[in-house]
Amino acid sequence: MALWFCSARFLVFLFIVSALPIAYVISQERAKTDHHVFHYHSSGFFRECAKWDDQGRRFLVSFLEGGVGEIHVPQNYTPDVVLQEVTVVKDSDLTGNASNGIALDRPRNRLLVAVADVLGNRYSGLAAYDLSTWKRLFLTKLSGPGDEKSMADDVALDADGNAYVTDVKGSKIWKVGVDGELLSTLTNPLFTPKEWYKSLLGLNGIVYHPDGYLIVIHTLSGNLFKIDLAKGDEVKLIEVAGGPLAFGDGLELISPTKLVVAAGNPSGRLVESTDGWETASVVAKFKGPMHRLATAATVKDGKVYLNHMFGMGYPRKTHALVEFVL
């Protein structure tokens, strides 16, 4: 007697179930939108973060498989053009580690990259590269074998060039000096939610505010924190009306009072504060291509674009940088 799972009825059921998500993805990819999308071809499926470099007229993107690419946008660009990604960083001594969050340091002509062992959580580091030659300027080890598990996820820069790197595994922040020296590690009880499962993905996106403090998001709790560097790294929970910002990932400060949060669903949220980020409110939401998963935000010519993790197609993968219409 044939096994039940080999029956014609079951095979038809399996086909329908597997076809549904494929049909959804195809419909989403073909859907017309009223917002602009930069499409680009890439050699990899996963792109964690993207930042616009206005001086170089290029997007810089980090590879989950490790490395950095650049996507030049020509002056005569038209929306129907698919751009091309070119690999500019691929360090053999960091093979097996992901390149996660990135931060442009234009005054010092360099790019900072959070590096981590995503699967094993056995290594975290911060690398700096010259924006002209792509020579590595330093590589700072933040944790390694024998230390508690960690995963460097995102990075922000203060006015003096110090870097602040979030640990999404251990919910702490490393401070790295302008020349690559590890200066301190910031921890706080507020970073640990009461529910154990919300600690599986902790501190994630981080930005530096020109008034001298950091804003950082906790992924699974959706909590937003203000860290006052002038007050001994004082940590406060920002009360967010319309929050929490669950599954929040990359952050982009688009003005002193407005913050974009890249997330899963919706793809992006605009958060505004009128009291120096003691409190805030969600004032807009954007629903982008959910199947691609928004992970970071950047600003080009006054417009916000959301980086999406997943590329589509084979052998050339097509990625999307989607405008967040405010």
Side-chain angles (χ1 to χ4, degrees), residues 140-186:
T140 302
K141 177 184 172 183
L142 303 174
S143 70
D147 300 326
E148 65 177 0
K149 289 191 174 183
S150 65
M151 191 179 110
D153 190 86
D154 202 5
V155 56
L157 290 160
D158 67 19
D160 297 321
N162 298 306
Y164 301 85
V165 184
T166 55
D167 174 9
V168 74
K169 180 70 176 178
S171 282
K172 58 180 177 288
I173 298 172
W174 294 285
K175 181 179 180 179
V176 178
V178 67
D179 295 318
E181 65 276 21
L182 179 59
L183 299 178
S184 61
T185 303
L186 172 62

Side-chain angles (χ1 to χ4, degrees), residues 256-274:
T257 62
K258 294 181 180 180
L259 178 76
V260 170
V261 180
N265 181 26
S267 301
R269 300 179 181 97
L270 178 64
V271 183
E272 187 171 11
S273 175
T274 58

